[in-house]
Amino acid sequence: MDLSNTPTTPLAPSGPAAPRCLVVTFNRLMPADQGNSRRIMQLVRLYKAQGFEVDLLYHNEEGFDPALSHALAAEFGRVNVVRSRAPKHIQPGHVCRIVDWYDRGLDAAARDMHRLRGYSAVHVNYVWYSPLLDQFGSDVVKVLDTHDIFGERRAKYTAAGMKPQWFSTSYADEDSALRRADAALAIQKEEAAELAGRGHRNILYLPYVEPALRPFKPRGGGRPLTFGYLGSGNDWNILSMAEFLAKLQARGVPFPHPIVVAGGVCRHVREGSGVIKLGFVQELHTFYDAIDIALNPMVGGTGLKIKTVEPLCYGKPVLTTLPGAQGLTHLWQLPLFDDNASLTDYLFEQFGHPGGELLEALTTQAASTRQALDAEYDGQVDRLARWLASRV
């Protein structure tokens, strides 16, 4: 429901049976068909598992309609929708200041919800929402999910010959955001270490893991051995797939197995021999049930590559470059490749004929990788749960 017009008369908290957590995001969470939305829902499930009632302050930048309203009302105890008026100025050199990306209209909405509901914890997503934490006193636990390191993020784009996109700020601005939080969550182990190396002592590491939805099992017959890539149409995905397919086609002989491509990236993938474009898929299992081995030929980027973890949720092995496994290399038991040249070499060497004898070994390695990821995730969830319990 939309509480934008709720009266703002202060009310004393009524002493709820369960502690309450306020989650703040601009992401359209239902359906959770983007990686950042699914990460947020991962945390919502975690808070609920720790006994919290969870409310949502939705900073509407991705649309609001009756279907979304109904879905959010079923998931959250209370929902407040605030239309975004964030200026989002970008300074020369693609420098973004938090003060220019934060919408001060959220301040009153957060205070009103706190007066009505009495939160024990507030959880904001992305560093430019950190000013909202200042609306809560020291009696409220403040958590910032970073999703990514945004200090000098532009450099990763320029190093790849790309125009910087979205948000990139200075280290000083990012550091000030992290200091507002009692705990900041890093989605990668390497990112947690980097932030700690910058002097932050409030960093908790929580990887992204979805529940396992399909078992790892032997491949059935009835269709050719099939590879697949699923990705949105962002710049990194477009560049990565263009390079991968160019390397594949440069071999001069057709790859003997179909490669299924799905998601928004299809609009930017050229037609080619053996490439099947599915476009947008309504249900993820539709894609994963149609392939045997997932590919993630990333050439760079930031944050955790959810498309590397996702196939392991659907019982499929995944072959990826090192950039695609960033944050996971200490757990990875499948082959890893320095770049797309070595990935395509491997594909032709191992699968350059119609058979698929290697698939069973890759499936076993994928299952072991998934077990290692689950064990690390469970350990980090336990750490976060103990930290929350000590403060609420």
Side-chain angles (χ1 to χ4, degrees), residues 146-264:
T146 62
H147 288 255
D148 204 341
I149 288 182
F150 288 94
E152 303 302 335
R153 186 172 179 265
R154 57 184 175 159
K156 296 184 178 181
Y157 283 85
T158 55
M162 299 166 61
K163 182 180 178 181
Q165 299 291 326
W166 203 27
F167 186 83
S168 175
T169 193
S170 65
Y171 287 129
D173 224 9
E174 185 172 52
D175 289 340
S176 69
L178 297 174
R179 287 193 291 267
R180 286 185 168 109
D182 297 315
L185 303 183
I187 202 168
Q188 284 186 18
K189 194 171 186 177
E190 290 92 335
E191 290 183 354
E194 179 179 337
L195 295 174
R198 280 160 52 183
H200 297 287
R201 297 293 175 261
N202 62 336
I203 307 301
L204 295 175
Y205 158 54
L206 185 69
Y208 170 83
V209 180
E210 285 282 358
L213 300 173
R214 293 282 195 279
F216 292 94
K217 60 183 182 180
R219 172 179 178 266
R223 60 171 169 76
L225 182 71
T226 304
F227 294 77
Y229 175 84
L230 171 64
S232 65
N234 69 45
D235 289 345
W236 285 110
N237 292 346
I238 294 168
L239 179 64
S240 298
M241 276 303 287
E243 182 185 278
F244 169 70
L245 292 175
K247 296 287 185 188
L248 205 67
Q249 292 161 6
R251 301 296 295 244
V253 294
F255 187 59
H257 306 285
I259 298 175
V260 175
V261 181

Side-chain angles (χ1 to χ4, degrees), residues 312-356:
L312 303 178
C313 303
Y314 287 88
K316 303 296 181 180
V318 55
L319 299 173
T320 183
T321 55
L322 279 168
Q326 186 179 4
L328 300 167
T329 54
H330 62 296
L331 304 170
W332 205 251
Q333 299 179 43
L334 286 150
L336 275 175
F337 306 93
D338 291 335
D339 50 31
N340 278 321
S342 57
L343 172 58
T344 53
D345 286 345
Y346 174 88
L347 289 175
F348 271 95
E349 289 166 6
Q350 301 296 331
F351 298 99
H353 50 83

